[in-house]
Amino acid sequence: MIQEKIIDKIKKLLALSKSSNEHEAANAAARAAELMAEHQIAEASIRVEDETHVAEPIQVERIYEARKRIAWKGALAHALADSLGAKMFWSGGDIRIFGRTSAIQTISYMLMYFSAEIERLCRSAWIAESVGDDPPISTQTTWKNAFRLGAAGVIAQRLREQAHAEKGRRDHVTAVVAPSSTMSRALVLVRKDEIALEDDYARYRTANGFRKTPAIGRVSSCDGYSAGREAGRGVSLGGNARGLKAPAPRLK
């Protein structure tokens, strides 16, 4: 099956993402995330071709576990969820995603990829920042936390800008392609899936008594935050958040 081939290829890439070679590991993780993002549209196209029109199930999964909220990871997860048609919410310090299976998988792996990239860049930047000095541990912790928050904020902003551009492209494709084409019908299915998820999440929020939580994350080092924002501008986003290219890419 096509889906089994995709999953097998993603698993191999994720295995490579654990490589001791940081460049190879980052590229493998980014490609895995890209395949998973592309598959969201491929799955809709396959449904059109097979005339099944059955969407993936909606579920809730914890993708990150912690005793307290980690602001910069939450910022990343929230932007990823927005970009992939899912919903992110906190459960204590845990990050949970309400969405369809492939979206949750994509968000989970992309969060790992971005987190690893930010930590790698943070280590390198701190070494450059502290060369010749011997700052106390508290200064290092403060600077690094601010760096992570700055980098995550920029990446989150870029993800949302990318998703907005993809939505514009999707609207354009919907307007110009033949309504009977596979691409057009797949896009209609995607929109129906998005509306269904919004409705289900509204009911889920009501049933669980969700309340809007205040934004968290305080910048405690301007230098670290600025360095993080600069680093975040250069992080690869790992492919399109909504891979609206040709329908149903078939892997060999």
Side-chain angles (χ1 to χ4, degrees), residues 173-248:
V173 169
T174 302
V176 300
V177 301
S180 60
S181 69
T182 297
M183 173 63 86
S184 179
R185 287 183 291 158
L187 291 173
V188 169
L189 277 183
V190 168
R191 182 57 188 148
K192 286 182 178 178
D193 289 351
E194 289 173 346
I195 293 171
L197 188 136
E198 288 282 352
D199 291 344
D200 283 1
Y201 187 63
R203 287 189 288 269
Y204 184 83
R205 283 178 60 90
T206 300
N208 288 275
F210 282 4
R211 291 176 296 179
K212 187 174 182 180
T213 54
I216 59 174
R218 183 171 59 88
V219 177
S220 49
S221 168
C222 291
D223 289 344
Y225 186 74
S226 296
R229 288 186 62 81
E230 182 63 31
R233 295 185 183 99
V235 173
S236 168
L237 298 186
N240 291 325
R242 271 286 194 187
L244 297 174
K245 301 178 183 176

Side-chain angles (χ1 to χ4, degrees), residues 115-136:
S115 296
E117 277 293 273
I118 288 174
E119 292 291 9
R120 179 180 67 82
L121 291 167
C122 186
R123 288 193 299 271
S124 297
W126 174 251
I127 290 171
E129 173 74 13
S130 61
V131 64
D133 297 330
D134 188 20

Side-chain angles (χ1 to χ4, degrees), residues 3-189:
Q3 188 172 6
E4 289 176 352
K5 291 181 179 180
I6 291 170
I7 291 172
D8 183 60
K9 189 156 189 173
I10 288 170
K11 284 180 177 178
K12 289 177 180 177
L13 285 166
L14 291 174
L16 279 176
S17 72
K18 297 179 175 64
S19 167
S20 57
N21 182 314
E22 288 188 341
H23 181 70
E24 181 182 68
N27 284 341
R31 179 56 182 150
E34 183 178 8
L35 282 177
M36 296 175 81
E38 287 175 355
H39 179 56
Q40 294 211 219
I41 293 301
E43 186 266 339
S45 299
I46 291 167
R47 283 161 54 198
V48 168
E49 292 174 353
D50 293 345
E51 298 185 349
T52 57
H53 294 196
V54 177
E56 290 180 321
I58 295 174
Q59 53 190 359
V60 180
E61 284 193 19
R62 181 178 62 195
I63 64 167
Y64 182 76
E65 182 179 5
R67 288 181 296 176
K68 64 179 182 178
R69 297 181 184 185
I70 308 298
W72 65 276
K73 286 186 181 286
L76 288 172
H78 198 283
L80 285 166
D82 285 350
S83 300
L84 288 160
K87 303 293 181 181
M88 170 265 178
F89 63 94
W90 293 101
S91 177
D94 297 349
I95 294 174
R96 295 182 184 269
I97 303 295
F98 181 100
R100 302 192 186 277
T101 305
S102 59
I104 293 173
Q105 291 174 339
T106 305
I107 293 163
S108 177
Y109 286 120
M110 289 191 80
L111 179 62
M112 285 195 294
Y113 160 64
F114 286 133
S115 296
E117 277 293 273
I118 288 174
E119 292 291 9
R120 179 180 67 82
L121 291 167
C122 186
R123 288 193 299 271
S124 297
W126 174 251
I127 290 171
E129 173 74 13
S130 61
V131 64
D133 297 330
D134 188 20
I137 295 296
S138 59
T139 299
Q140 178 181 164
T141 300
T142 298
W143 192 94
K144 285 186 173 182
N145 285 339
F147 180 99
R148 296 179 185 112
L149 196 61
V154 167
I155 293 171
Q157 179 184 353
R158 291 173 59 208
L159 284 168
R160 289 193 168 93
E161 289 171 351
Q162 183 186 63
H164 180 73
E166 289 293 344
K167 183 182 182 302
R169 190 157 72 94
R170 182 176 74 180
D171 292 343
H172 173 72
V173 169
T174 302
V176 300
V177 301
S180 60
S181 69
T182 297
M183 173 63 86
S184 179
R185 287 183 291 158
L187 291 173
V188 169
L189 277 183

